[in-house]
Amino acid sequence: MTTEGERFDRFMERALYAPETGFFTSGRGSAGRRGDFLTSVEVGPLFGAVMARMLDTEWDRHDRPATFTVVDAGAGVGTLLRSILAAEPRCAGALDLVAVEIARTQHPGLPPQVRSSDEVPRVEVGVVIANELLDNLPVRVLERTSEGWRELHVVEGRAVVRPTELVGPDEVPVGARIPIAEAAVGWVRTTLDRIDSGRLVVIDYGADTAELARRPAAGWLRTYRSHGRGGPPEEDPGSQDITYDVPFDQLPGGTRTTQAGWLRRHGIDALVDEGRRIWAERAAVADLGALRARSRVREAEALVDPAGLGGFVVAEWQRPDL
Ligand SMILES: C[S@@+](CC[C@H](N)C(=O)[O-])C[C@H]1O[C@@H](n2cnc3c(N)ncnc32)[C@H](O)[C@@H]1O
């Protein structure tokens, strides 16, 4: 970096993904864990079990093809794919499982059924899932000043605003900052182009741009370090996670729902009821199966909590477009 500094998204990319020194690529960032709470994938196997039901529905809808590709984008240590396999979906025999992870050298030891890739491969028929990926892609940050729009840069560890070619929405008041999710938009477009037939499912925290503009930037642009909140984002690149609330309205089309609603649509309640029944039958034995069944109740509470993971957004796209 020169003393001229760099645009915030380029700084963020370097801070998180520079070879050897980035927060994720150095192995400092343990994917999946966020501060004092966990991603849905890391809460336990229930999230993957619901995903497995969704995959069976999609596989049926495509008349049960012999090969059904499932890509986990931003797979971290591969927990989601492991949970999907453990749930033994009906489509198991057709599954071509792919883990896409930019910091994959940090995450050896995927199950043998899973192939690893640097980018989303072509999907003839199947599903691409991205849980908490978009919030970690580099983001541009605009500020509305009394002189017009300015863009956040980082110069020698300090945040400064400079003129920009970008223009934000009219309704944003002077003094407010908004994210411009150029990389996330590009990722969604590229990924949709790679799916011949199937679905893209993106799950993340976020809101519309107008709502984020009403919050202080320190609310929607956050850092985490050692399982707690970190310092200012421009500080000590590589030492902390940088993440932002995804402005979902900037993504191209698709449908949106809450994580709680989406999990219910795909049968979380039936899985919890089944867990309760198994526990009631086998509590006296208290074997691993019985304990797992009981844990579904607690996992479900966390996954559908409207003030937490349940309030996350699930955005979906169908290919080819209907
Ligand atoms: C917050 S973690 C989420 C991990 C996992 N999906 C989960 O829900 O627990 C985000 C992951 O995305 C990875 N990542 C970031 N940009 C990526 C990209 N362009 N392609 C693939 N993986 C990426 C990061 O290295 C990190 O492991």
Side-chain angles (χ1 to χ4, degrees):
M1 191 186 61
T2 67
T3 49
E4 286 166 21
E6 59 196 332
R7 223 169 62 187
F8 183 78
D9 57 326
R10 294 179 183 142
F11 168 84
M12 179 168 167
E13 174 146 39
R14 192 165 59 84
L16 298 185
Y17 307 115
E20 317 277 311
T21 57
F23 180 72
F24 286 108
T25 35
S26 67
R28 246 173 296 186
S30 138
R33 286 177 184 269
R34 275 282 161 74
D36 294 326
F37 61 93
L38 306 171
T39 66
S40 297
V41 166
E42 300 287 339
V43 162
L46 181 59
F47 188 74
V50 181
M51 281 285 172
R53 288 175 72 113
M54 179 275 287
L55 294 176
D56 275 338
T57 307
E58 284 296 297
W59 186 58
D60 288 343
R61 220 168 50 78
H62 287 90
D63 297 328
R64 306 186 183 172
T67 304
F68 192 63
T69 302
V70 173
V71 180
D72 184 8
V77 291
T79 311
L80 177 59
L81 295 177
R82 267 193 202 88
S83 299
I84 289 171
L85 284 169
E88 300 178 348
R90 285 183 289 105
C91 62
L95 285 178
D96 160 34
L97 296 172
V98 188
V100 179
E101 173 50 60
I102 203 170
R104 66 175 156 143
T105 52
Q106 300 299 332
H107 304 309
L110 289 169
Q113 305 93 316
V114 177
R115 61 189 170 102
S116 190
S117 171
D118 282 334
E119 52 178 39
V120 176
R122 176 149 295 281
V123 174
E124 271 179 39
V125 51
V127 177
V128 178
I129 304 164
N131 190 59
E132 294 201 26
L133 166 68
L134 264 47
D135 68 85
N136 266 149
L137 297 183
V139 67
R140 298 178 72 169
V141 180
L142 291 194
E143 180 175 316
R144 185 160 210 170
T145 71
S146 50
E147 278 106 58
W149 288 99
R150 296 288 182 270
E151 181 160 9
L152 198 67
H153 285 64
V154 179
V155 183
E156 294 178 342
R158 280 181 313 110
V160 296
V161 292
R162 290 188 170 153
T164 178
E165 83 284 6
L166 294 179
V167 177
D170 279 347
E171 62 270 23
V172 174
V174 168
R177 284 185 178 178
I178 53 166
I180 299 291
E182 214 171 69
V185 170
W187 186 88
V188 168
R189 289 221 167 95
T190 307
T191 301
L192 287 174
D193 278 348
R194 291 182 185 164
I195 304 174
D196 294 339
S197 187
R199 193 170 265 273
L200 169 60
V201 183
V202 162
I203 304 148
D204 227 309
Y205 32 81
D208 282 351
T209 310
E211 189 190 323
L212 298 176
R214 288 193 286 274
R215 300 184 196 161
W220 60 255
L221 184 64
R222 299 181 292 275
T223 62
Y224 293 95
R225 177 192 281 145
S226 309
H227 307 294
R229 290 295 280 265
E234 60 278 6
E235 191 180 272
D236 208 359
S239 71
Q240 55 185 355
D241 188 8
I242 306 174
T243 173
Y244 68 101
D245 281 307
V246 176
F248 274 94
D249 58 311
Q250 293 179 21
L251 302 182
T255 60
R256 278 193 267 164
T257 182
T258 63
Q259 171 159 310
W262 191 89
L263 290 173
R264 292 205 171 100
R265 170 147 53 90
H266 291 287
I268 192 170
D269 294 332
L271 287 167
V272 173
D273 288 347
E274 184 188 69
R276 279 204 186 93
R277 211 169 42 245
I278 294 172
W279 174 248
E281 285 163 14
R282 305 212 329 233
V285 191
D287 60 1
L288 199 57
L291 292 171
R292 276 210 192 106
R294 186 179 61 169
S295 117
R296 279 188 185 174
V297 180
R298 290 270 169 280
E299 288 176 47
E301 279 168 10
L303 293 174
V304 302
D305 176 5
L309 295 168
F312 282 22
V313 177
V314 182
E316 293 181 282
W317 294 261
Q318 189 71 51
R319 295 278 296 147
D321 301 329
L322 296 176

